[in-house]
Amino acid sequence: MWEYTDKVMDLFYNPKNQGLIEAADKPGIKVVTGEVGSIACGDALRLHLKVDEATNIILDAKFQTFGCASAIASSSALTEMIVGMTVDQALNLTNKEIAEYLGGLPEEKMHCSVMGQEALEAAIYSYKGIPLAHHEEDESAMICRCFGITETRIKKTIKENNLTTAEQVTNYIKAGGGCTTCLSDIDDLITDVWEGVEQEKILVPVIEPETDTLPKLTNLQKITLIQKVLETEVKPFLAADGGDVELYDVEGDKVKVVLKGACGSCPSSTVTLKVAIEQKLQQLVLPSLVVESV
Amino acid sequence: MSVIYLDNNATTRVDEAVLAAMLPYLSEFYGNPSSMHTFGGQVGKAVKQAREQVAALLGAESTEIVFTSCGTEGNNSAIRAALAARPNKTHIIISQVEHAAVLNQCKQLENQGYTVTYLSVDGQGQIDLAELEASLTGNTALVSIMYANNETGVVFPIEQIGQIVKENGAIFHVDAVQAAGKIPLNMKTSTVDMMTISGHKLHAPKGIGVLYVRKGVRFRPMLIGGHQEKGRRAGTENVPGIIALGQACELALQHLDNVFEEQALRDLLEQGILNTIPDTVVNGHPKYRLPNTTNIGFKYIEGEAILLSMNQYGICASSGSACTSGSLEPSHVLRAMGLPYSVLHGSIRFSLSRYTKQAEVEKVLSILPPVIERLRALSPFKNDQEAWLQEQEKALAATPK
């Protein structure tokens, strides 16, 4: 028997927001649907969103789910989490956050949270009129034929969830869980992804410090290096979204930064950004660094 | 909350008489049955009596009974023994719906150079005897077919199969773990060479089983060591388990006369569900089935969700759905039967025992309809047009398996 948290069982027995949303009858309100899975897969989720077109805020979310207890609980959690968010904020929601909301899921059931995140993405893309991401994915090679999962999707999941074994990939998106013949291909994709990351690191020669000189950085050297990474690695990335970052202070391993522009006003992106900047600094300056937004 | 236990194909309650019979062998009578002294010798006598009790249920000689640790060991050692006895033959025939203890063993043997034929089953879970006949060759060492399927309860025509196998000369092994105690067995007039039984499926404890080996059939042991079980299974006997199994077999033999009562309750449950809950189907042959088992497909909803909902009311059953196994694939048995996915994922097995009460069945029948209705209200498929569903199934049929 699975070890489900009380939260999972509570939302399975008493799910919130089940059902459909009536088609919008007022101008300026749009109702969209995102769907993932199928009856063959053993689970499927249809997510309905009601969005205010002026503010892009999600006014209501309802779900219909075919699946196990954790699929139903994940669907309920998702609808509770996204009401009140703008569609862009909702797009930043990760499957991890859905699982965390539930107090965790058994690893074999992580795919239920992934299904929630994918249905959300499908619904929002439909709202924005953007063709679904997996239409592009169809161009990439079909790895898992049993569950119809492509290379692009597997690689994305590996990266986003830091996966290192084929078994984990199966737990997250089912790939490899059928006839199991593609497990060795999934092993190869894992190697590809993480070797690629190693490559990226090596491709930044300017600021790649000598690993053995790392601990010997003086405070001034450290601050200079942090400043340099922020300038060359972080700022260009933020500028694309109309945001900016400024170094405020460095106290020991604590790097205090000020987030500006578009990203400064958005609570969910602040969290994402903090993590992203921290990762960059840990990777390129000192592994012990912690970022704080002030 | 009282438990309504309808999962007896998974395991059964130890009968009180069985427990009482075994307990002294965990305390007072702890001697080794192989010992020369009287203290051990009296235990040896008790083991001998238990062997006779088991033989009586099987209609066998007591020398044909080999005690094992479980059904899996019985199946593994029977297959290994048959192959060792036919060293020049490399072909095995089993069905697609065998228990994992046979299926996975044979898959491993394929890696060791054996060829395995997996006989298909029809929509009602029956094999085709003509396919068996056509599959047998001069190279066939072993045919291993289950007596009754653990998931659907479908019973195979073992003696008809045995006739065909005997004409070919291959060894015939039968996994009777689910059948023993539910179907009368008589090895004296049977064509079966080896047969596996498991104690905990017939109200004995876990950790004890039997492999019946017909007198004269060549046997090579899997466990090598001492002379126990006439050299066919080394290792000090699990005496309390053996005593328990002997007692359990005696009770099972008595109960065979009353098995129709169990069947009447099973039918009450099955008919009750079919009559009160729409979109339900029975999986498996309606007639050639164990008297205690029914496997019902609840369309448009998923098995784990049904099980956990019933669990709230203390009702215990099983599902062949992907989500309950952790394997992501729904039951190999139901898939081999070619059932549509709308049925596959929502299939629940109810298995009764001689302890099942009519009041319990009636309680299940009152609880189940709202449980199913609630889950169907959550499902996107129930409210859809049939057309959409057919489209899904069609798309699926078109994708390579």
Side-chain angles (χ1 to χ4, degrees):
Chain A
M1 198 169 171
W2 303 112
E3 281 185 26
Y4 285 134
T5 62
D6 291 345
K7 183 80 178 167
V8 170
M9 290 315 286
D10 181 45
L11 288 182
F12 167 58
Y13 290 133
N14 308 296
K16 314 280 190 302
N17 308 318
Q18 66 191 76
L20 281 152
I21 297 177
E22 298 276 309
D25 47 2
K26 271 192 270 176
I29 303 288
K30 199 166 168 184
V31 172
V32 289
T33 299
E35 184 166 342
V36 288
S38 76
I39 205 157
C41 300
D43 44 25
L45 163 58
R46 227 178 267 177
L47 177 72
H48 310 278
L49 301 182
K50 188 190 221 176
V51 187
D52 180 340
E53 288 185 291
T55 58
N56 286 334
I57 285 175
I58 299 171
L59 301 173
D60 195 8
K62 291 222 185 312
F63 75 91
Q64 292 172 292
T65 293
F66 163 79
C68 55
S70 53
I72 289 169
S74 296
S75 309
S76 178
L78 170 69
T79 56
E80 290 167 60
M81 291 168 85
I82 58 176
V83 171
M85 284 187 180
T86 66
V87 291
D88 286 327
Q89 285 167 339
L91 264 185
N92 281 329
L93 193 77
T94 64
N95 71 290
K96 265 192 203 161
E97 289 168 294
I98 299 173
E100 277 161 18
Y101 185 89
L102 293 167
L105 282 172
E107 187 158 78
E108 293 87 342
K109 295 287 190 175
M110 283 301 288
H111 65 257
C112 295
S113 65
V114 174
M115 187 167 80
Q117 192 271 328
E118 285 175 352
L120 176 64
E121 201 174 87
I124 293 176
Y125 278 25
S126 153
Y127 171 74
K128 291 187 165 187
I130 304 170
L132 266 181
H134 64 243
H135 286 179
E136 294 161 34
E137 271 187 29
D138 288 347
E139 307 281 321
S140 80
M142 183 69 78
I143 302 293
C144 173
R145 294 192 171 273
C146 296
F147 291 108
I149 302 171
T150 58
E151 180 177 325
T152 314
R153 211 176 131 207
I154 293 174
K155 281 187 163 173
K156 181 169 173 266
T157 310
I158 294 171
K159 270 188 211 158
E160 284 182 356
N161 293 286
N162 243 321
L163 306 184
T164 51
T165 68
E167 286 71 23
Q168 286 179 315
V169 173
T170 307
N171 289 333
Y172 277 73
I173 49 169
K174 295 188 171 191
C179 69
T180 70
T181 50
C182 65
L183 284 176
S184 50
D185 299 331
I186 297 175
D187 284 334
D188 293 346
L189 292 182
I190 291 170
T191 316
D192 267 15
V193 167
W194 298 128
E195 267 183 359
V197 168
E198 294 297 313
Q199 287 292 321
E200 274 170 34
K201 272 193 219 164
I202 295 161
L203 286 176
V204 200
V206 198
I207 38 169
E208 176 80 6
E210 296 288 326
T211 34
D212 52 356
T213 64
L214 270 179
K216 293 176 201 152
L217 286 179
T218 66
N219 223 21
L220 188 64
Q221 282 172 322
K222 186 163 73 186
I223 294 171
T224 317
L225 203 51
I226 291 171
Q227 188 69 272
K228 202 168 184 181
V229 171
L230 289 180
E231 287 297 330
T232 57
E233 290 292 305
V234 180
K235 284 194 173 191
F237 160 71
L238 293 185
D241 286 322
D244 200 0
V245 65
E246 227 172 70
L247 185 62
Y248 179 71
D249 199 0
V250 178
E251 279 177 25
D253 280 337
K254 208 180 281 173
V255 182
K256 295 184 171 178
V257 297
V258 186
L259 292 171
K260 289 177 163 181
C263 47
S265 59
C266 154
S268 81
S269 79
T270 311
V271 178
T272 325
L273 267 181
K274 180 187 132 34
V275 175
I277 297 172
E278 209 170 66
Q279 276 175 357
K280 270 279 176 246
L281 290 177
Q282 287 173 348
Q283 199 183 322
L284 300 172
V285 186
L286 259 183
S288 51
L289 293 179
V290 187
V291 170
E292 213 178 81
S293 152
V294 292
Chain B
M1 181 176 53
S2 62
V3 161
I4 299 179
Y5 190 76
L6 299 179
D7 203 9
N8 288 279
N9 286 12
T11 196
T12 59
R13 179 192 194 120
V14 174
D15 192 288
E16 276 175 31
V18 169
L19 183 66
M22 78 182 280
L23 279 179
Y25 295 87
L26 286 164
S27 52
E28 210 180 325
F29 303 112
Y30 57 83
N32 189 322
S34 300
S35 295
M36 281 309 295
H37 40 73
T38 316
F39 184 64
Q42 62 186 347
V43 175
K45 268 186 198 152
V47 168
K48 186 167 175 263
Q49 196 206 334
R51 202 181 295 280
E52 279 158 11
Q53 288 169 312
V54 174
L57 178 68
L58 302 186
E61 304 278 332
S62 61
T63 52
E64 295 173 317
I65 304 300
V66 180
F67 287 113
T68 62
S69 65
C70 60
T72 297
E73 186 197 325
N75 286 335
N76 272 245
S77 52
I79 291 171
R80 297 281 169 178
L83 297 178
R86 298 269 195 285
N88 302 321
K89 299 191 174 184
T90 58
H91 179 225
I92 305 164
I93 300 175
I94 65 170
S95 80
Q96 288 178 359
V97 298
E98 293 303 311
H99 187 269
V102 168
L103 208 56
N104 291 340
Q105 162 92 334
C106 287
K107 281 188 181 148
Q108 204 199 40
L109 286 165
E110 279 182 314
N111 298 333
Q112 295 170 18
Y114 287 91
T115 14
V116 181
T117 301
Y118 301 90
L119 298 176
S120 61
V121 295
D122 63 18
Q124 295 189 321
Q126 276 297 344
I127 59 167
D128 177 2
L129 295 180
E131 190 189 348
L132 167 68
E133 235 171 325
S135 305
L136 282 157
T137 71
N139 190 31
T140 308
L142 166 76
V143 177
S144 178
I145 302 285
M146 64 198 338
Y147 212 125
N149 186 270
N150 48 316
E151 292 187 30
T152 59
V154 168
V155 174
F156 286 136
I158 287 302
E159 294 309 327
Q160 287 181 50
I161 295 170
Q163 287 297 340
I164 296 169
V165 176
K166 286 299 106 184
E167 279 166 31
N168 168 276
I171 289 178
F172 184 31
H173 167 250
V174 172
D175 170 0
V177 165
Q178 293 296 343
K182 296 166 194 158
I183 295 173
L185 301 169
N186 188 0
M187 290 300 107
K188 284 188 191 72
T189 56
S190 172
T191 50
V192 174
D193 291 316
M194 290 191 267
M195 184 180 271
T196 305
I197 311 286
S198 171
H200 74 104
K201 309 284 192 195
L202 43 94
H203 306 288
K206 293 147 191 81
I208 185 71
V210 157
L211 180 63
Y212 160 85
V213 183
R214 179 176 294 283
K215 209 172 173 177
V217 166
R218 300 285 179 279
F219 190 84
R220 298 278 181 280
M222 199 164 70
L223 286 183
I224 314 286
H227 61 277
Q228 292 91 348
E229 302 300 295
K230 297 189 183 303
R232 291 172 297 185
R233 204 272 188 184
T236 302
E237 295 87 343
N238 168 10
V239 174
I242 289 172
I243 305 300
L245 183 56
Q247 184 65 44
C249 285
E250 191 175 315
L251 293 173
L253 189 58
Q254 290 165 13
H255 175 68
L256 274 178
D257 296 332
N258 305 323
V259 89
F260 63 90
E261 291 172 12
E262 224 171 285
Q263 180 164 352
L265 286 184
R266 191 269 316 266
D267 292 343
L268 179 71
L269 176 68
E270 188 172 279
Q271 284 309 313
I273 291 172
L274 295 178
N275 291 340
T276 57
I277 306 175
D279 294 318
T280 45
V281 285
V282 172
N283 300 320
H285 198 284
K287 200 171 140 209
Y288 300 120
R289 246 189 325 160
L290 290 175
N292 78 320
T293 309
T294 178
N295 187 310
I296 297 181
F298 296 88
K299 290 189 189 175
Y300 316 121
I301 48 179
E302 197 277 330
E304 185 201 290
I306 304 172
L307 288 183
L308 287 176
S309 301
M310 292 198 298
N311 186 51
Q312 257 191 317
Y313 301 94
I315 303 170
C316 308
S318 282
S319 168
S321 98
C323 282
T324 53
S325 63
S327 75
L328 296 178
E329 283 273 10
S331 147
H332 71 286
V333 174
L334 303 182
R335 271 185 300 146
M337 288 162 67
L339 298 184
Y341 279 91
S342 52
V343 172
L344 258 183
H345 288 286
S347 285
I348 301 292
R349 175 190 71 189
F350 300 93
S351 46
L352 287 65
S353 80
R354 59 177 181 253
Y355 300 116
T356 308
K357 305 267 187 302
Q358 179 160 346
E360 293 178 317
V361 169
E362 282 163 358
K363 193 168 172 205
V364 172
L365 287 175
S366 72
I367 288 167
L368 210 47
V371 158
I372 300 298
E373 205 180 298
R374 180 185 91 89
L375 292 173
R376 281 185 177 160
L378 287 172
S379 168
F381 300 130
K382 177 56 192 133
N383 311 309
D384 274 356
Q385 317 84 326
E386 273 300 303
W388 187 85
L389 202 68
Q390 280 165 4
E391 208 176 285
Q392 291 264 325
E393 304 254 350
K394 222 192 293 166
L396 204 91
T399 46
K401 217 179 173 185

